[in-house]
Amino acid sequence: MPARGSCPPRGLAHPITATATLAIPLDGLTLTAPHPEMLSQKNVESVTGIPARVFLDTIRGPGFPLPVTRLGKLRLVQREAFVAYLQALAGDPASRRDADGDEQTRVAAVLAAAGLEPIPCARTGRAVAPPHGAGDGRLRRTRGGLVRR
């Protein structure tokens, strides 16, 4: 006899069961998985919408504040910390200007240590080679790249 008052109908030894197949179209289902704990170049685009190349350039850039775990060629960053970092960048344009200024200062220091000086380009604001025939201590462009005069 089944426990606690659930009895089959009189005259039947076993309860009646029914089996049915239900067809649900695939576009009617929504499957969600939890976000991964760590972001890598393989999953960053599906989680944040950022292309893998931009992700890698960001985490390799000078002054990136988050710890990066390296497993072979795979680079891992904690998802929550990376998203918070992106939100901070988006919300504070002054900090981006400060970071750009810091980078320009570091570049100028490296060039000065090599006896060179940056020459800003009007279009991009980046250092470029001076015109051909410029004085000593400057870079000139050759087919092989930039060389010191």
Side-chain angles (χ1 to χ4, degrees), residues 62-145:
F64 183 70
L66 303 176
V68 178
T69 304
R70 299 175 182 184
L71 295 173
K73 292 185 178 183
L74 197 65
R75 301 295 182 257
L76 300 166
V77 177
Q78 288 185 352
R79 177 185 52 84
E80 289 181 8
F82 187 72
V83 170
Y85 170 73
L86 293 177
Q87 289 173 340
L89 284 179
D92 189 10
S95 68
R96 280 185 291 192
R97 282 193 300 271
D98 292 344
D100 289 344
D102 291 345
E103 182 178 359
Q104 289 175 357
T105 302
R106 286 190 300 269
V107 168
V110 169
L111 289 174
L116 304 171
E117 63 185 55
I119 300 174
C121 177
R123 185 171 49 94
T124 64
R126 296 180 183 232
V128 296
H132 184 67
D136 290 340
R138 296 187 177 214
L139 297 176
R140 68 179 168 89
R141 187 172 299 279
T142 66
R143 288 184 184 233

Side-chain angles (χ1 to χ4, degrees), residues 43-52:
N43 66 3
V44 70
E45 190 162 5
S46 65
V47 175
T48 64
I50 296 174

